[in-house]
Amino acid sequence: MSAKQQRGEVTSDLLLDAALRVFVASGEKGLTVNAVVQDSGVSLGSLYHHFGSFDGLIATLGHRWLDRLLGELAEGLRDSENAREGIAAAVRAYLTFVQEHRGPALLLHSPLADRKSMTRGTEFCDAQEARVSEVSLWIRLRTDSGELAPLPPPLIESLVMGPVVAVARRWLSGIGDVDLDEAARLLPERIWRSVRA
């Protein structure tokens, strides 16, 4: 990698890290171009040069952390010996990610992310194709083997991830009535019962 490319990566990382800090500190309303430029110390021109637009910066930030989350889910599935273990691994991986990366998890579970995924769902799936495909393939193989209920992969995914996402959102909201460690112990078996063959 050339020195110019390295500087470009450093600048991109400064902007992405600043956008996340601003979002965590100020919420969506405080997440403005000026706030990110000021926090990062990077020029407005550099932001547009690297991301094309402020929306491009926010999309890249979302993709970065979603890719990491999906990667951890896929790794848990990959390392499991059967469907039941895979479900437990996916639940643990998701809740561990939320606990260890609260700021990115807040972003990924925010109304901002919801709006973007609703209006650009196909774009998000395309950007995460390798990760999404790996999870879908795992589900399809376990369905074909008779371990999982004969349902379309998106329904299996919804049955597995729906409760986990709901618990994560509740914990992130700060209500304080959900223990993620307890959820990681209790949810896998309940979820397994809903998706087993």
Side-chain angles (χ1 to χ4, degrees):
M1 181 182 298
S2 72
K4 183 177 180 180
Q5 289 170 320
Q6 287 176 339
R7 284 192 307 275
E9 277 194 19
V10 168
T11 300
S12 294
D13 286 344
L14 286 170
L15 287 162
L16 290 165
D17 293 345
L20 182 60
R21 277 193 305 274
V22 169
F23 176 81
V24 170
S26 307
E28 185 179 344
K29 290 188 182 198
L31 185 59
T32 64
V33 174
N34 290 337
V36 171
V37 168
Q38 184 176 357
D39 185 279
S40 69
V42 174
S43 72
L44 181 60
S46 289
L47 185 151
Y48 285 101
H49 171 75
H50 290 285
F51 298 101
S53 65
F54 188 64
D55 193 48
L57 170 70
I58 302 309
T60 301
L61 179 62
H63 288 306
R64 169 189 265 191
W65 285 101
L66 182 58
D67 183 62
R68 185 160 174 187
L69 172 58
L70 290 173
E72 291 181 20
L73 286 176
E75 184 179 333
L77 294 174
R78 204 178 310 120
D79 293 343
S80 62
E81 292 189 22
N82 57 52
R84 188 180 204 159
E85 285 182 15
I87 299 298
V91 170
R92 282 192 305 273
Y94 198 102
L95 296 177
T96 298
F97 175 91
V98 168
Q99 206 162 26
E100 291 178 356
H101 306 287
R102 189 174 191 283
L106 280 168
L107 176 69
L108 292 175
H109 294 86
S110 69
L112 173 64
D114 289 344
R115 284 194 311 278
K116 290 199 178 296
S117 69
M118 292 298 286
T119 58
R120 295 178 165 171
T122 304
E123 177 187 321
F124 272 86
C125 279
D126 290 347
Q128 303 298 331
E129 183 179 353
R131 301 289 192 198
V132 171
S133 295
E134 188 172 357
V135 171
S136 294
L137 176 62
W138 184 91
I139 292 171
R140 197 171 324 108
L141 290 172
R142 298 311 179 280
T143 302
D144 291 348
S145 73
E147 290 181 84
L148 293 175
L151 297 169
L155 294 183
I156 296 281
E157 182 184 329
S158 295
L159 286 168
V160 172
M161 298 315 301
V164 180
V165 171
V167 165
R169 285 178 183 271
R170 192 169 186 100
W171 184 80
L172 289 165
S173 73
I175 294 171
D177 63 351
V178 173
D179 179 322
L180 291 187
D181 293 327
E182 180 181 46
R185 281 192 315 275
L186 298 176
L187 281 179
E189 185 59 29
R190 302 296 194 271
I191 291 169
W192 170 245
R193 291 177 193 169
S194 71
V195 297
R196 69 184 176 191

